[in-house]
Amino acid sequence: MKHSPQAASDESGSNKFTVQQRLFFVVLVATMGALAYGYDTGIISGALPYMTLPADRGGLNLTPFTEGLITSSLTFGSAVGAFISGYVSDRFGRRITLRSLALLFVAGALGTTLAPNIEIMVAMRFILGIAVGGGSSTVPVFIAEIAGPKRRAPLVSRNELMIVSGQLLAYVVSAAMSLLLHDGSMWRYMLALAMIPGVMLFIGTFFVPASPHWMVSEGRFKEALRIMRKLRENPREIKKEMAEMRQNAQQARQGPAPRELLKEKWVIRLLLVGFGMGIVLQFTGVNAFMYYTPIILKSTGLGTSAAIAATIGNGIVSVIATFAGIKAIGHFGRRPILLTGLTIVITMQLMLGAVLVFMPHNLTQSLLALACILVFLFFMQMCISPVYWLLMSELFPMQLRGVLTGSAVSFQWVCNAIVAFVFPPLLSLVGNSAFFIFAAINVGSFIFVALALPETRGKSLEEIEAHVREHFGESIKTASVAE
């Protein structure tokens, strides 16, 4: 039966709040993957001090090498998961991919909880990493395709909000268990809680719609239209988006096959920019702070419990900063926000290095070091992290969106793993001068963003695709600043 424009208008008008509720629910379900990602990456900072204990005291008797290996095994697994999920997402759809990843979240969390030795722990963290990486590349794309042009930026940014909320939850759990349990094996309880968001994600995927963009790319126009009518308030928006999606799908069918498209210069250049953004995100050193803040603070003289409790400040600042970032993304372009964030990040890294290298070990040094870390994290989580994930959801063309996003996010996880694995040996080799090295790298990141990143604010996904095709088909040397 045909659905008249008037009927669509009446339906959307009477269910305006319902449409908002549906979008909120879809985003809430999808970001359970982000919550699990945040918890799994954050909880290791509280678990590591207890995992380093001897086996007879409940630990795994870790050395600096195995400490870095266990931490980075999740991120290496995430690189594999992000890459594979890109292909799975394009082939079977975003929703099915998320459902499969949810099962891996549960299996990985259970495996790390029960791991009897370092070898099994590394293997289980790798499996958990596959789920984390797959979710990190699939969730932003799914939300972007569900949300529509007007809501894309704030809704995709909720992915970052759930990541930092998961990290805050991990810090609170770590601190509470450290203060209350006094049990060397408490790290197992910390890791076990990671199963909860995985279970919630699995159940939730049975109650959310598929991506209408993916449906159109598969030629399932009627199903895509039914979904759009549930997720848009204005029939004119539905008509415009459907027309753009159908035109895009038709051009994709008439154009080169996906394998041939991967060889085109503008696609290669765009993917290189995606890789570059992974370097920008991870070589800020953010995960060195997130994973090893207790160790950094212990080097200034704080006790283990106090150092773990201090990481709650990391989580609180990150959550507040992400709320601020969601507001900022709605008012400013992606490039100006990134450049502002990198400027403050470089400044704080220089100051932190100076505090740790030149000041004596005392409470003042501990407080100043923590202040530098918190200011760093505020601008990192407000200006850099949410913009990165938003760009990953919108930069790449529909025909290859899953594959290219998965590849770029996979590279980001490789960078994450390198930082996580190298930081403890680097800290032991050069001491706190390591932060000066990160500052120098970030000067390079600032130059890259200024020269190579196009502006995507205010454009639909189809308009962005046309824009980057033209932009990177011409030159990668200068960046567009058009709003």
Side-chain angles (χ1 to χ4, degrees), residues 85-398:
S85 70
Y87 288 93
V88 175
S89 176
D90 279 346
R91 176 67 181 87
F92 300 103
R94 324 307 188 201
R95 185 175 52 173
I96 295 298
T97 304
L98 287 175
R99 190 175 300 161
S100 303
L101 292 170
L103 295 176
L104 285 181
F105 270 121
V106 175
L110 183 61
T112 56
T113 301
L114 301 175
N117 54 48
I118 293 172
E119 291 78 13
I120 293 178
M121 173 60 75
V122 170
M124 291 297 103
R125 288 270 296 172
F126 185 85
I127 290 173
L128 188 59
I130 293 175
V132 169
S136 70
S137 66
T138 307
V139 171
V141 168
F142 180 59
I143 296 174
E145 293 178 348
I146 287 287
K150 292 181 180 178
R151 294 189 174 98
R152 186 175 70 246
L155 289 184
V156 172
S157 297
R158 279 163 173 74
N159 178 67
E160 175 65 17
L161 179 62
M162 290 296 272
I163 292 173
V164 296
S165 296
Q167 289 169 338
L168 174 59
L169 178 62
Y171 300 147
V172 171
V173 167
S174 298
M177 289 189 178
S178 177
L179 292 171
L180 298 175
L181 293 186
H182 305 293
D183 181 353
S185 62
M186 71 178 74
W187 57 270
R188 295 188 185 275
Y189 309 133
M190 295 178 186
L191 300 181
L193 292 176
M195 287 186 283
I196 296 174
V199 171
M200 294 174 69
L201 175 63
F202 179 78
I203 295 172
T205 56
F206 290 95
F207 299 95
V208 298
S211 162
H213 287 258
W214 184 80
M215 286 287 191
V216 169
S217 72
E218 293 290 301
R220 297 161 67 175
F221 303 118
K222 291 183 179 179
E223 292 171 85
L225 182 58
R226 282 198 296 270
I227 293 170
M228 290 289 286
R229 285 173 176 158
K230 295 179 180 180
L231 298 175
R232 300 291 183 271
E233 298 166 352
N234 191 325
R236 286 190 296 274
E237 291 179 5
I238 298 173
K239 184 177 180 180
K240 182 176 182 293
E241 282 190 63
M242 284 296 299
E244 288 179 343
M245 286 190 283
R246 294 188 71 152
Q247 181 182 6
N248 190 273
Q250 184 177 4
Q251 290 174 347
R253 285 193 296 271
Q254 294 173 349
R259 289 185 180 180
E260 294 300 316
L261 188 60
L262 280 169
K263 300 176 184 178
E264 294 197 7
K265 286 185 178 180
W266 73 274
V267 174
I268 295 171
R269 289 172 170 175
L270 184 59
L271 183 58
L272 289 176
V273 169
F275 286 171
M277 286 306 302
I279 295 174
V280 170
L281 178 69
Q282 293 301 337
F283 278 85
T284 55
V286 60
N287 284 308
F289 293 108
M290 301 305 280
Y291 299 154
Y292 300 112
T293 290
I295 294 171
I296 295 169
L297 293 178
K298 280 178 68 178
S299 73
T300 68
L302 283 185
T304 300
S305 294
I308 291 174
T311 60
I312 295 177
N314 285 6
I316 293 173
V317 166
S318 295
V319 170
I320 294 171
T322 304
F323 275 112
I326 291 172
K327 293 290 185 182
I329 284 172
H331 293 88
F332 303 101
R334 316 315 190 216
R335 282 162 41 85
I337 294 175
L338 278 171
L339 293 173
T340 300
L342 284 168
T343 300
I344 304 300
V345 159
I346 293 167
T347 303
M348 287 302 105
Q349 286 171 332
L350 292 173
M351 290 181 63
L352 178 61
V355 166
L356 294 176
V357 170
F358 300 115
M359 287 188 66
H361 293 339
N362 54 35
L363 182 59
T364 301
Q365 186 199 37
S366 299
L367 293 176
L368 284 176
L370 182 59
C372 289
I373 291 172
L374 294 182
V375 173
F376 165 91
L377 284 176
F378 184 86
F379 282 90
M380 178 72 205
Q381 303 293 13
M382 180 176 75
C383 300
I384 300 176
S385 292
V387 174
Y388 171 82
W389 294 111
L390 178 57
L391 287 169
M392 291 303 99
S393 76
E394 64 187 13
L395 267 182
F396 302 112
M398 178 62 226

Side-chain angles (χ1 to χ4, degrees), residues 422-434:
V422 167
F423 185 75
L426 180 66
L427 202 59
S428 65
L429 182 65
V430 302
N432 292 314
S433 296

